[in-house]
């Protein structure tokens, strides 16, 4: 049985991204499709790599972090280091989001205060 292959348009359609996005990750050295003439031919591994990049970007990982995590993948199945690193990065990202949430809540309080002062000043001038 042969491994499935994909054209750039197949991957773009299947993952709901643009072909330009795929070419960008290729330019970054994160995808290495075979070439058949001028056509790019992506493997099942390329598809998995692309899914991992997209998932990493969705949860806020940088491209460098995605590259590092993908680089830790061990095809023999021993992915303890990759999984441990992923858990560390998740914890770091969660801490960043918690801090951003606190910052947003503080900003909302400051906006409420400024709004109340403006309303009070307006009511005094009427």
């Amino acid at each position: 049985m042969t491994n499935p292959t994909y054209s750039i348009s197949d991957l773009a359609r299947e993952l709901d991204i643009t072909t330009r996005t795929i070419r960008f990750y290729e330019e970054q050295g994160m995808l290495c499709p075979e070439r058949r003439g001028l056509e790019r031919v992506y493997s099942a591994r390329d598809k998995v790599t692309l899914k991992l990049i997209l998932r990493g970007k969705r949860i806020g990982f940088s491209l460098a972090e995605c590259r590092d995590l993908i680089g830790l993948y061990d095809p023999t199945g021993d992915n303890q280091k990759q999984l441990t690193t992923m858990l560390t990065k998740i914890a770091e990202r969660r801490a960043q989001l918690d801090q951003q949430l606190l910052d947003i809540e503080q900003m909302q309080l400051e906006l409420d205060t400024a709004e109340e002062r403006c309303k009070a000043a307006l009511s005094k001038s009427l």
Side-chain angles (χ1 to χ4, degrees), residues 3-101:
N3 289 329
T5 59
Y6 308 89
S7 70
I8 194 168
S9 56
D10 290 339
L11 280 181
R13 188 173 37 258
E14 204 169 313
L15 299 175
D16 196 27
I17 56 176
T18 65
T19 56
R20 177 68 195 112
T21 299
I22 296 171
R23 284 192 295 272
F24 171 77
Y25 293 127
E26 194 178 324
E27 290 164 9
Q28 298 301 308
M30 298 179 79
L31 296 172
C32 300
E34 286 181 39
R35 296 281 185 160
R36 290 189 191 144
L38 296 176
E39 183 183 12
R40 293 170 168 89
V41 179
Y42 295 88
S43 66
R45 182 180 172 106
D46 289 324
K47 181 180 174 183
V48 169
T49 298
L50 192 51
K51 283 181 168 181
L52 290 172
I53 293 167
L54 296 171
R55 183 177 301 136
K57 296 300 289 174
R58 270 194 315 274
I59 60 176
F61 290 170
S62 69
L63 201 52
E65 289 172 316
C66 291
R67 183 182 290 113
D68 291 345
L69 286 167
I70 291 165
L72 292 173
Y73 175 74
D74 183 351
T76 67
D78 181 16
N79 288 298
Q80 293 290 331
K81 185 161 177 62
Q82 184 190 40
L83 295 172
T84 302
T85 303
M86 179 74 164
L87 286 172
T88 300
K89 297 225 176 273
I90 287 170
E92 290 169 359
R93 183 66 183 134
R94 194 178 302 276
Q96 287 174 338
L97 289 171
D98 288 342
Q99 183 59 54
Q100 286 175 334
L101 191 55

Side-chain angles (χ1 to χ4, degrees), residues 114-124:
E115 182 180 43
E116 288 304 316
R117 287 182 180 161
C118 288
K119 287 178 178 179
L122 279 173
S123 68
K124 285 181 184 176

